Amino acid sequence: MNTGKVTLVSAGPGDLDLLTFRAAKAIAAGDVLLIDDLVNDDIATLKAAHARVVRVGKRGGCKSTPQAFIQRLMRRYALQGKHVVRIKGGDALLFGRAGEEIADLRHAGIEVEIVNGISSGFAAAAGLGVSLTHRDHCQGVIFVTAHLRDGTEPDWATLAATGMTLAIYMGASRIDSISEALGKTLAAGTPAAVVQWAGTSREKRLVATLGDIAACAAAHDIASPAVILIGGAMGEAMEAVSARSEPAMRRLSA
C-alpha cells in the first residue's frame, strides 16, 4: 500500500466564511479529519461522506489530547495510505505546534502539505477596526505566546522596548502579571485591547489603557480564548470609542 499524506489545514479564527478555498477543498478531500478543540464544529459539514472525524482537543488550562498521541494518529493513518487532514485553529504555523508535527512526519517519510489561514491576532485587529502596523505608531508587530514551554514567561521588558505592537496569545489568565511586567517599561496610558473569541459570533472586544486593561477584562468577564493587543496602534481603537462617547470602561460591543 502506498503511503498517504498529511495536510495541515488552518481553520482560521472560527467563522467558516474566513476559511480559504484551498482549506475547504483539502477538508473535502480528506479521509481522516483530526480536528482541534477551538475549531468551529460546523467545519465537519465540509467533509466527504466517507471521511472519519476524530476530535483531538488541545486548549490551555483544559484537559487536552497529548501531542504525542496526535502525532501517532497522523502517522498511523498516513501509513495506511490515507489522506489525513489535521485541522488547526487560526493559522497552523502560529503557536499550533506545527513544527513538531512537520518534523515527526518528515522523519517517518510522510508527505506534508500546509494550508495557511487567518490567525486570531489578525481577526482581533479586524474586529477593532485597526491596523497592527499603523505607520504613525510602530514599525511592526510581534506575535508572542504568554508562556514558554517550560512554564516561564517571555522577557516582557525587551519586548516592550521594541516599540512594536504586541499581539499576545494565550495570556488571558495572566493578564494581571503581563500588564504589570509591561508597565515597568511602558507608560500606564499605553493603549491596549483584549478580544475574546475573535472572528466568531461570540466575539467580545475591550479597549483601555495598559494600566486599566486587567481590571477592565475582569469586570467584563473576558477570558480565554483571547488575544491581548498592546501598543500605540491600539490608540486608533480608543479614539473611535471616544468619538462615540462610550462609557469610561471603553467596552466595544460585538
Side-chain angles (χ1 to χ4, degrees):
M1 179 181 293
N2 294 328
T3 299
K5 71 174 184 178
V6 174
T7 302
L8 302 183
V9 168
S10 304
D15 193 324
L16 294 189
D17 287 346
L18 296 178
L19 275 175
T20 64
F21 285 118
R22 187 177 176 191
K25 287 194 292 185
I27 292 166
D31 298 309
V32 180
L33 310 184
L34 303 183
I35 304 180
D36 267 354
D37 184 57
L38 291 177
V39 172
N40 188 331
D41 287 339
D42 291 340
I43 205 165
T45 64
L46 303 177
K47 72 179 182 66
H50 72 276
R52 179 178 181 181
V53 174
V54 182
R55 307 285 176 177
V56 287
K58 294 194 70 62
R59 185 172 170 187
C62 301
K63 185 176 181 180
S64 300
T65 305
Q67 181 66 27
F69 178 73
I70 295 172
Q71 291 173 197
R72 285 199 300 273
L73 279 181
M74 287 192 289
R75 291 197 307 270
R76 179 194 305 167
Y77 286 123
L79 292 173
Q80 291 174 0
K82 299 184 184 300
H83 179 190
V84 180
V85 180
R86 171 83 165 100
I87 305 176
K88 296 170 170 287
D91 185 277
L93 302 183
L94 193 61
F95 305 127
R97 302 191 182 184
E100 299 166 46
E101 296 176 358
I102 292 167
D104 183 70
L105 292 165
R106 286 178 175 165
H107 181 74
I110 297 169
E111 178 187 352
V112 184
E113 179 184 14
I114 301 166
V115 179
N116 293 114
I118 298 173
S119 177
S120 57
F122 292 108
L128 291 165
V130 299
S131 168
L132 293 173
T133 56
H134 194 303
R135 63 181 183 174
D136 289 344
H137 302 286
C138 62
Q139 293 181 311
V141 57
I142 296 174
F143 297 94
V144 59
T145 177
H147 51 89
L148 305 179
R149 189 169 186 174
D150 61 4
T152 61
E153 295 193 6
D155 184 345
W156 295 117
T158 297
L159 291 170
T162 64
M164 306 286 191
T165 300
L166 301 182
I168 304 169
Y169 288 62
M170 295 169 279
S173 65
R174 304 183 182 209
I175 194 167
D176 285 304
S177 62
I178 292 170
S179 57
E180 181 180 356
L182 291 172
K184 293 177 180 178
T185 303
L186 299 173
T190 300
V194 183
V195 182
Q196 182 182 15
W197 290 108
T200 74
S201 61
R202 302 165 64 183
E203 182 173 301
K204 293 170 67 176
R205 313 175 204 122
L206 177 76
V207 292
T209 62
L210 178 60
D212 293 336
I213 195 68
C216 290
H220 291 290
D221 297 320
I222 302 292
S224 179
V227 178
I228 304 168
L229 301 171
I230 308 290
M234 295 306 105
E236 300 296 318
M238 294 183 72
E239 288 182 12
V241 172
S242 297
R244 291 195 292 269
S245 300
E246 298 195 11
M249 239 4 140
R250 295 192 173 95
R251 182 171 182 268
L252 289 174
S253 60

